[in-house]
Amino acid sequence: MVTQTGSWEALAVLVSATLFAAAGAGWTCLVRSWCLQDGTCVAMNGSALFPTFQCSFANKVPLMSDLLFQDTASMSSNLAGLTRGMCGVGERLTLSELTGRSTCMLLRPYPDALDQEVMEPSASTDHERACGAWLNGGVALQPSLVQTVEYLAFDDTAERAAAVRSAEAAQYAGSRLSGTNPGKLRTACQRAVLGGSGALRAAGQLAYEYLVEVAAIEGVADETTALKSLGVLVGHYCDAPILFGWNLKVNGLRTSVRRGRSFDPYAMASALKIVGASTTLQAQAEVSNKHVNGYADSSPEATTEQIKQVLRAATQRPAEDDHIAGVFDLDLYQAELDGYVHLLVNGALADAKAYLHGLAAMCAFSLESLVPAPGDAATPDASPASRWRTRMQRELPAAASLGALKAPPNHSPLFEVASEDILNASTVTLSQLVAGEAGEACLELTRMLFPDETDELHHQIVISPRLYDRMDWMVEVARVGVTHVLRNDATIRGALTDPDAVALLIDNVRMRIPGAPRGSWGGATRPIPVASFDSADGVFVMAAKQARSIFLDRQGTLVYDGDHACEAHSPYTALTANAFIWPAMSCSFYLLGMSARPFADGAYDDASLASRAGYIFAHEFSHAVLGFKDPYNLTTIDGLLSDFPCSSSSTRDEAFADILGVLGILQTGLVNSSELCLHVSQSWVSTHAHIHRSSFHAPPACSRIECV
Ligand SMILES: [Zn+2]
C-alpha cells in the first residue's frame, strides 16, 4: 500500500524488456497475458489463495531436483558437477552448520552474481535464457498441494535467517561472555532455569514486587497518583486498560492512544496467587476487575487530560512536553480506561490499588511465562492467567520482540505492509511474546527484550564492513541515477506533475539499514538505551528494567525528540526479506533479509551490485512520487502504461517505480540493459504451478509484471 502520508508499501517488482527499447511501449501484465492466452489459469483477483495479489502466479519446483542432470558429461566431469551431487540446478551439496548434516544449498555465485547454471542460453524467451534450467529442473507436485510462489532468490531465506540467528546466539552465550546486558540477562535466565521451577517462581515474584514498587502502587492516594501508577505499568509494556504506540504523520512520529486490554475473570487472581499475594488481595482484584469490565462501555469517557496524565507517567515527560506529542490519535474509545476511571471515582481507593496489583501480577506472569521450567511441558499451565495469555496471542498480531512483529508465516518475500502494522508493532505488549522452544527459552527471551542489540549483531553477521561501504556508495549512485532521469528524461518528466519536486525529495531520502552502527549512514543516530542491571535483580527484574528502557527510548525519546522517521525501527524483524519506503517521511528501509546474496555481497562486481541491491534502492527512491498528492500527469502516465492491463493505482505505482528505477540504474552506466535484464530476471523469477493443470508455465521474467 502506498499513499501520500504516513503509510508505506512493501517492495514489489516488475520488469519489462520492452522498457529497454522504449519506456512504456509494449507493457503487458504477463500474469494476465500468459494465464489468459494459454488458458492455463484463471484470474486470481481476490481468490481465496491469493487475496492480496491482483495478478499473481504460483509455481513450485522442489529443491530436490530430478536426477537426469547427473548423467550429462559436462556435469559429472568437473568440480561443479562433482560437488552438486544429487542437488538441484544451481545447488551444491554443503555441510549445514545448523544440523551438522550435508544438505543442498543454492550456490549464489560471485563476483558475477549471474548464475550461468540456471540459464538456458539457447532458449527463445528472456526469462528462459536467464533462468530456464532452474525452471525446468523440478518436478511438479500434486497441484492441490501447490499454493505458494517459489522464488529463486528467496528459496533459502528461512535457512539463511536461521544461520544468522545461530551465529548471533553464540556471541553472548555462557556466563563468561556476559559482558553486555543481553549476556547478563541470558546468564541470569540460565541460572534460574538451572534452579528449577522454584527459582523461576522466586524470580517472577521479585519482578512483581519490583513493579509494585516502581509504580508506587502502595502510595496511591487519589485519582492523580492512581493514573500515574497505571502509566508506569504501561511504560513497562505491561498489558493494561490503555496502551500507547505511535503513528507516522507528515510532521513526524506521533503518539497514538489505543484501547487497552480487558482481563478475563480469575486471570488476575491466579497471577496474584503465583506471586504469593494474599487471598484477600486476589479476591479484591477480581472484584475491581469485574467493575472495570462492567463499566467499560457504560461509563463516562475518560478525559483527554486523564489520558495525558497516564501518558506523562509512561514516558516520564512533563506536561510542558504535551505539545510535542501533538494532537495525538485517539482510538475510537478507551473503554477499559473509562472503566478504570469509573472505579477510581466510584470505588474505594483499595479497589483501585488491588486492580493495579493485579496488573503488576499479570505483567510479572507474562515475563515468567517466557521461561518455562524444565518439565513444564509435561504439565501445561491451565491457570486463567495462562489461558488469557493464550487468547491474547491468538487474537493479537504475533510479536517477535518489543516493538516488532513477526513476518507472517509462509509470507511472500515481498509482502505488503500497512500503516496499521506500524501501530501494531509499536503497541506490542508482554502478553504477545511467546516462549521459545525448550532449551532456547533464555536465548529467545534475550532476543525479544533486546531488539536493538540483536539487530546490531545480525547486521554485523550479514553485512561485512566492505559490503556496508559499497552499499553506501550504491545508494548514492542509485540516487543520482534516478534523480538525473527525473530531471532530464522528457518522457518521465511528462508523466509527473512536478518531477523536480520529486527529485528534490529523493535527494533527501535516508536509506535505513536495521542494526547498522549508530550514527553511520544507514543507522539511527541516538545511542542504544542501556538499563541499569544489578546482579541481585534476577532474570525477570532485569527483564522489567529492560522493557522500561526500551519503552522510554521508543515512546519517549523517539516520539518526543526524534527528528526523522528513520530514527524508528522496522515494524517487522530485521531478517525479514523486504524493503519499503515512507515517501512523505523521506525514509526508506532496506532489511537484512535483502542484504545477502543474491542481492548484495561485498565481493560482487559493480554490475551485479547495481542490478540487484542497487535496483531495489532505485525502485524505492522512485516511490518518492507518492510523497505528493496527485503525483501523476494522468493522461501521460496512462499513455506510458497503456498496455498495462492491471489498472489499479497500486500496480500503476509499482510499474512506474520499476520504469524509473531501471532507467536510474541504467543511467549509472555500471551495467547495460541486456545484462540488467538477466540479473533482474534471476533476482525475481518465480515459478508457477497451475491450480487447474499440472504443467509448468513460468512467467517471462523480463517482461513479467507482478502486481502486488
Ligand atoms: Zn514498490
Side-chain angles (χ1 to χ4, degrees):
M1 184 186 76
V2 197
T3 62
Q4 286 85 352
T5 58
S7 58
W8 54 317
E9 58 96 40
L11 173 118
V13 162
L14 82 174
V15 177
S16 172
T18 57
L19 172 63
F20 302 106
W27 280 94
T28 51
C29 177
L30 261 296
V31 175
R32 281 272 173 89
S33 66
W34 57 256
C35 284
L36 300 182
Q37 276 168 23
D38 291 20
T40 53
C41 70
V42 293
M44 292 175 180
N45 298 16
S47 77
L49 282 180
F50 303 96
T52 62
F53 286 69
Q54 279 153 347
C55 35
S56 193
F57 39 79
N59 193 358
K60 184 81 181 172
V61 176
L63 278 175
M64 208 57 81
S65 190
D66 67 275
L67 296 172
L68 291 174
F69 284 89
Q70 303 223 58
D71 296 328
T72 65
S74 63
M75 288 300 291
S76 57
S77 61
N78 57 26
L79 176 64
L82 290 168
T83 55
R84 185 176 140 193
M86 64 192 293
C87 296
V89 174
E91 296 177 344
R92 291 292 178 278
L93 205 56
T94 312
L95 190 65
S96 167
E97 291 292 330
L98 296 177
T99 63
R101 288 196 292 269
S102 55
T103 183
C104 293
M105 294 186 194
L106 284 157
L107 178 63
R108 309 294 192 203
Y110 57 87
D112 182 353
L114 282 178
D115 191 344
Q116 305 292 334
E117 196 172 311
V118 304
M119 293 186 186
E120 194 68 68
S122 60
S124 57
T125 64
D126 288 323
H127 81 280
E128 284 169 345
R129 275 192 289 276
C131 319
W134 180 73
L135 289 166
N136 295 322
V139 291
L141 297 177
Q142 287 294 317
S144 61
L145 299 177
V146 176
Q147 299 190 355
T148 56
V149 179
E150 184 176 350
Y151 290 81
L152 175 59
F154 298 101
D155 237 3
D156 49 3
T157 301
E159 289 87 345
R160 206 160 50 212
V164 171
R165 286 157 63 87
S166 168
E168 162 253 304
Q171 300 213 8
Y172 49 90
S175 61
R176 289 179 184 80
L177 292 175
S178 61
T180 60
N181 270 4
K184 287 183 169 69
L185 179 108
R186 190 174 167 191
T187 309
C189 180
Q190 286 162 339
R191 278 200 301 269
V193 169
L194 288 173
S197 56
L200 285 164
R201 182 172 292 205
Q205 193 166 338
L206 281 179
Y208 164 72
E209 289 160 5
Y210 173 80
L211 289 168
V212 169
E213 189 190 330
V214 291
I217 293 174
E218 293 299 342
V220 166
D222 51 22
E223 182 187 306
T224 301
T225 47
L227 292 172
K228 193 172 171 183
S229 182
L230 173 63
V232 174
L233 293 176
V234 173
H236 281 79
Y237 288 101
C238 297
D239 291 86
I242 185 172
L243 298 175
F244 300 113
W246 63 77
N247 212 339
L248 290 173
K249 297 289 181 183
V250 178
N251 53 349
L253 301 161
R254 286 296 175 264
T255 303
S256 177
V257 183
R258 305 199 91 191
R259 184 174 183 174
R261 311 271 187 253
S262 66
F263 297 90
D264 297 340
Y266 308 113
M268 280 186 173
S270 66
L272 282 163
K273 181 170 188 283
I274 289 166
V275 294
S278 69
T279 50
T280 312
L281 184 57
Q282 293 169 31
Q284 200 166 8
E286 279 306 307
V287 171
S288 302
N289 184 53
K290 193 174 176 187
H291 185 114
V292 170
N293 288 345
Y295 285 93
D297 295 307
S298 60
S299 53
E301 286 185 16
T303 65
T304 303
E305 178 55 29
Q306 286 166 330
I307 292 172
K308 283 184 175 175
Q309 286 184 48
V310 182
L311 178 64
R312 287 172 203 143
T315 57
Q316 293 186 348
R317 291 283 170 157
E320 299 89 87
D321 284 358
D322 282 353
H323 70 282
I324 305 176
V327 182
F328 50 60
D329 289 343
L330 285 171
D331 209 347
L332 281 181
Y333 60 136
Q334 278 71 41
E336 284 69 27
L337 184 69
D338 300 344
Y340 178 65
V341 170
H342 192 273
L343 177 69
L344 296 182
V345 174
N346 297 285
L349 202 57
D351 294 337
K353 283 179 165 179
Y355 180 79
L356 290 166
H357 274 281
L359 291 180
M362 288 300 296
C363 196
F365 176 77
S366 278
L367 288 169
E368 201 179 327
S369 300
L370 296 176
V371 187
D376 272 7
T379 52
D381 181 358
S383 70
S386 183
R387 285 205 301 273
W388 179 82
R389 265 178 60 82
T390 305
R391 182 166 74 80
M392 289 299 106
Q393 290 168 9
R394 196 172 58 237
E395 292 175 1
L396 298 167
S401 63
L402 296 179
L405 303 173
K406 276 183 186 160
N410 304 318
H411 67 82
S412 160
L414 308 166
F415 62 96
E416 194 161 353
V417 191
S419 55
E420 183 74 7
D421 297 302
I422 299 172
L423 266 176
N424 285 338
S426 66
T427 49
V428 163
T429 52
L430 291 175
S431 68
Q432 287 170 265
L433 301 177
V434 181
E437 310 232 326
E440 298 274 295
C442 289
L443 173 59
E444 283 300 323
L445 176 75
T446 310
R447 286 173 175 148
M448 289 187 278
L449 294 176
F450 291 90
D452 294 338
E453 287 87 343
T454 304
D455 281 359
E456 199 172 49
L457 288 170
H458 289 172
H459 179 99
Q460 288 166 13
I461 292 162
V462 172
I463 303 183
S464 68
R466 181 186 180 198
L467 174 59
Y468 191 56
D469 284 348
R470 296 194 70 212
M471 285 169 76
D472 184 14
W473 167 71
M474 185 51 64
V475 165
E476 296 315 315
V477 165
R479 188 198 310 274
V480 170
V482 171
T483 52
H484 184 275
V485 172
L486 278 167
R487 289 176 171 127
N488 296 284
D489 185 297
T491 311
I492 291 293
R493 289 178 68 80
L496 297 174
T497 49
D498 194 346
D500 294 316
V502 176
L504 200 62
L505 196 162
I506 295 173
D507 282 339
N508 293 304
V509 167
R510 255 170 81 179
M511 188 64 71
R512 179 85 156 70
I513 318 287
R518 298 287 170 128
S520 71
W521 67 269
T525 59
R526 69 192 189 287
I528 291 177
V530 179
S532 298
F533 286 176
D534 185 315
S535 58
D537 281 341
V539 54
F540 300 124
V541 171
M542 285 183 181
K545 286 181 171 180
Q546 172 62 12
R548 184 68 175 134
S549 72
I550 292 286
F551 188 94
L552 290 174
D553 175 67
R554 307 291 205 267
Q555 202 65 46
T557 308
L558 184 62
V559 171
Y560 286 83
D561 306 327
D563 57 355
H564 200 284
C566 267
E567 292 296 310
H569 302 75
S570 165
Y572 284 94
T573 49
L575 292 178
T576 309
N578 218 337
F580 50 84
I581 185 170
W582 298 329
M585 311 289 290
S586 302
C587 177
S588 182
F589 273 79
Y590 187 90
L591 304 189
L592 299 181
M594 304 286 292
S595 301
R597 297 202 303 277
F599 292 101
D601 194 283
Y604 270 177
D605 57 37
D606 290 353
S608 297
L609 195 61
S611 306
R612 289 167 183 257
Y615 166 70
I616 299 168
F617 296 149
H619 173 100
E620 296 305 330
F621 281 141
S622 301
H623 277 315
V625 297
L626 302 167
F628 298 89
K629 196 169 159 43
D630 304 327
Y632 303 117
N633 188 331
L634 275 183
T635 321
T636 319
I637 191 135
D638 286 346
L640 185 68
L641 306 175
S642 59
D643 294 325
F644 188 64
C646 308
S647 54
S648 77
S649 62
S650 67
T651 54
R652 181 170 59 204
D653 295 339
E654 295 305 329
F656 184 77
D658 277 323
I659 292 175
L660 184 52
V662 164
L663 291 175
I665 289 302
L666 288 176
Q667 175 63 35
T668 67
L670 294 171
V671 60
N672 64 40
S673 61
S674 56
E675 212 179 330
L676 178 58
C677 177
L678 288 174
H679 276 291
V680 175
S681 295
Q682 287 196 351
S683 306
W684 299 106
V685 69
S686 65
T687 52
H688 176 88
H690 295 293
I691 306 304
H692 305 291
R693 255 168 61 170
S694 60
S695 65
F696 281 107
H697 193 137
C702 283
S703 50
R704 183 196 118 214
I705 294 168
E706 183 191 345
C707 314
V708 175

